[in-house]
Amino acid sequence: MDSIVVTGNGPLSGEIAIAGAKNACLALMPATLLTEEPLILTGAPRLSDIKTMTVLLESLGADAASLQDGQVLAMSSHDLKSTRADYDIVRKMRASNLVLGPLLAREGHAEVSLPGGCAIGARPMDLHQDGLEALGAEIELRDGYLHAKAANGLRGAQIALRFPSVGATENIVMAATLAKGTTVLDNAAREPEIVDLVRCLRAMGAQIEGEGTSRIEIQGVDRLGGATHRVVTDRIELGTYMLAPAIAGGEVECLGGTLDLVQSFVDKLVETGVEVEETARGLKVRRAPGARVQAVDVETAVFPGFPTDLQAQMMALLTTAEGVSQLHETIFENRFMHAPELTRMGAEIDVQGGTATVTGVARLKGAPVMATDLRASVSLILAGLAAEGETVVNRVYHLDRGYEQVVRKLRGVGAQVERVKG
Ligand code: EPZ
């Protein structure tokens, strides 16, 4: 297994191009199942999760071609040959469950494995199931699979989510586009990835209003057509790279970034004393070398709150802040596995349930550390940028799931980072 070696190398400077959003692309790709016509996604990120979704769609009988070095995904699903998403694919990537709604709407049945737990939590699918049953599906859990069928097709319904689940919102909205009648989804997720999915579905002929708000209304249509859609910028990659100059000092411009994608995160970053400027090309971040950032308290929340997917990366910054910070993780039950690894680098972190108390230290010290999940792995690399000496991050296959060319992008702004084949 490869590792990434980071050596603290002083302030950074330059620019980093931000890729298309992994979590938007993983919802957009299953939308090809809703139509027989071609769906073309441009600005797609080059990630192993995208490859996994491609394999899944092909296993269902869809064509999914990756063009222009992976930045264009050309898909079509004329004749599906299967409606089964196997355990061995779903357990590796939970987002595989986003084929459930489209398959139900298109074929009237689907067998999708439950993902099982993952490093950050149990990840149940009860909200997906409740919503799809409200649309008229019959869903039974058997041998680890959700066996879903809607022999008479789906029909519009009034649905209120107990929690604004991103994935459940995506599955329900995609299924409702082909249901008979009107669906109103209350307490819907408001993430930018939902907005991007709805914009693509609308380009395919879906009739949907309210994306980005807590109430989405869908008028079912008989069929959807193809479309060409550009994937929205990845707000989590954006926030991650904004933290590089915040941690190491210097000035970096993140190209393609816009404030509306990361407003809550930027508010917190500015509160620590880091400067953020919106430019014509993206977001520029500046932190004077030597000036320590100030401690702040962070509580993760659904959009537009502070993103849980940036909590680990923010903790890396706060380990070197002046003062004591409290990070409260409200979305997932086990998302502090990066804390013991940061502690190996000299950080002072006390985790009690969903709250981590971080007492800032002047300087971290490089050490061998272990990546446990996608966002934890990149938080360790960020910590290594400011640490004294060498940090070796092991098990970086987690990283390849969500960050394209992370070594190239960081070296491009002066970081001393390399990938070592293992
Ligand atoms: C999406 O996961 C993202 N993944 C996650 O990003 C992200 O952390 C999460 O949304 C929250 O923003 C993709 O978009 C592919 P949820 P999802 O359903 O849809 C509970 C990353 O690092 N829940 O909003 O699975 C669940 O257990 C990944 O890129 C239920 O209880 O998130 C969790 O505690 C990690 N029942 C909370 O809701 C359900 O049926 C949020 O889950 C569904 C979810």
Side-chain angles (χ1 to χ4, degrees):
M1 281 182 261
D2 293 2
S3 53
I4 285 188
V5 181
V6 194
T7 305
N9 190 31
L12 305 176
S13 72
E15 54 193 42
I16 295 176
I18 304 300
K22 165 179 84 82
N23 290 348
C25 204
L26 290 173
L28 290 162
M29 292 172 76
T32 190
L33 300 170
L34 293 168
T35 175
E36 296 193 4
E37 294 180 24
L39 175 60
I40 315 283
L41 299 179
T42 62
R46 288 150 295 183
L47 302 167
S48 58
D49 270 10
I50 303 304
K51 289 193 182 72
T52 302
M53 183 61 83
T54 301
V55 168
L56 172 57
L57 290 174
E58 286 175 337
S59 76
L60 301 175
D63 296 323
S66 172
L67 311 169
Q68 291 178 34
D69 185 26
Q71 297 201 56
V72 172
L73 298 170
M75 298 169 289
S76 67
S77 57
H78 279 287
D79 313 303
L80 296 181
K81 64 186 183 200
S82 162
T83 58
R84 179 181 175 87
D86 270 344
Y87 175 57
D88 65 340
I89 286 189
V90 181
R91 71 179 170 79
K92 278 188 293 208
M93 187 183 68
R94 171 184 167 78
S96 309
N97 65 17
L98 295 173
V99 300
L100 178 57
L103 284 173
L104 257 181
R106 167 79 179 272
E107 297 291 295
H109 61 92
E111 302 75 44
V112 173
S113 168
L114 276 181
C118 76
I120 63 177
R123 317 293 296 273
M125 280 188 63
D126 56 312
L127 299 173
H128 299 242
Q129 187 167 340
D130 296 349
L132 294 172
E133 284 172 342
L135 294 174
E138 291 166 40
I139 302 180
E140 182 199 354
L141 172 62
R142 209 170 56 241
D143 46 291
Y145 283 72
L146 289 180
H147 292 263
K149 60 178 184 297
N152 305 319
L154 298 173
R155 61 178 187 282
Q158 300 274 347
I159 303 169
L161 287 176
R162 162 177 59 81
F163 176 87
S165 155
V166 171
T169 299
E170 291 163 342
N171 254 329
I172 293 164
V173 165
M174 283 195 279
T177 58
L178 294 177
K180 290 180 187 63
T182 302
T183 296
V184 176
L185 180 58
D186 277 315
N187 201 22
R190 300 171 53 193
E191 275 70 4
E193 292 75 34
I194 305 279
V195 172
D196 203 43
L197 172 64
V198 170
R199 285 180 178 155
C200 178
L201 292 169
R202 192 175 289 133
M204 295 166 69
Q207 292 182 23
I208 310 179
E209 301 300 329
E211 70 276 13
T213 74
S214 299
R215 183 181 174 89
I216 299 177
E217 187 163 326
I218 306 110
Q219 305 289 345
V221 294
D222 294 338
R223 60 184 298 281
L224 290 180
T228 296
H229 177 81
R230 181 165 190 78
V231 180
V232 68
T233 302
D234 191 321
R235 62 194 170 99
I236 305 304
E237 191 194 27
L238 171 61
T240 301
Y241 286 121
M242 291 177 75
L243 280 162
I247 288 178
E251 179 177 293
V252 171
E253 186 169 19
C254 296
L255 307 183
T258 54
L259 267 184
D260 61 312
L261 293 173
V262 283
Q263 189 62 60
S264 294
F265 165 75
V266 168
D267 292 347
K268 276 296 165 188
L269 199 53
V270 169
E271 202 181 319
T272 69
V274 172
E275 291 170 49
V276 176
E277 178 197 347
E278 193 165 27
T279 68
R281 301 169 72 209
L283 295 179
K284 188 178 280 188
V285 181
R286 190 180 301 115
R287 203 258 294 162
R292 276 176 77 182
V293 299
Q294 296 307 304
V296 294
D297 293 341
V298 173
E299 177 161 301
T300 63
V302 297
F303 196 86
F306 189 99
T308 174
D309 293 348
L310 284 173
Q311 176 258 109
Q313 300 90 312
M314 190 68 177
M315 186 185 285
L317 173 67
L318 295 176
T319 62
T320 62
E322 202 154 11
V324 180
S325 306
Q326 299 262 335
L327 287 107
H328 186 198
E329 172 58 58
T330 69
I331 305 295
F332 289 104
E333 60 266 36
N334 182 32
R335 204 167 196 179
F336 286 137
M337 283 162 302
H338 42 286
E341 300 304 313
L342 291 167
T343 303
R344 288 179 48 73
M345 300 174 70
E348 290 178 22
I349 307 168
D350 176 33
V351 174
Q352 298 294 334
T355 300
T357 303
V358 181
T359 305
V361 297
R363 192 92 199 267
L364 295 175
K365 292 181 177 51
V369 290
M370 185 75 73
T372 50
D373 63 85
L374 168 57
R375 307 305 176 181
S377 53
V378 81
S379 81
L380 299 173
I381 292 175
L382 290 173
L385 294 176
E388 194 179 319
E390 189 174 87
T391 299
V392 182
V393 182
N394 296 299
R395 292 196 186 173
V396 289
Y397 58 84
H398 292 291
L399 206 62
D400 297 333
R401 296 190 52 178
Y403 289 92
E404 62 169 46
Q405 304 166 349
V406 64
V407 171
R408 184 179 66 75
K409 291 189 176 187
L410 285 174
R411 290 169 72 105
V413 293
Q416 194 173 332
V417 188
E418 61 176 327
R419 186 170 185 136
V420 176
K421 286 278 173 230

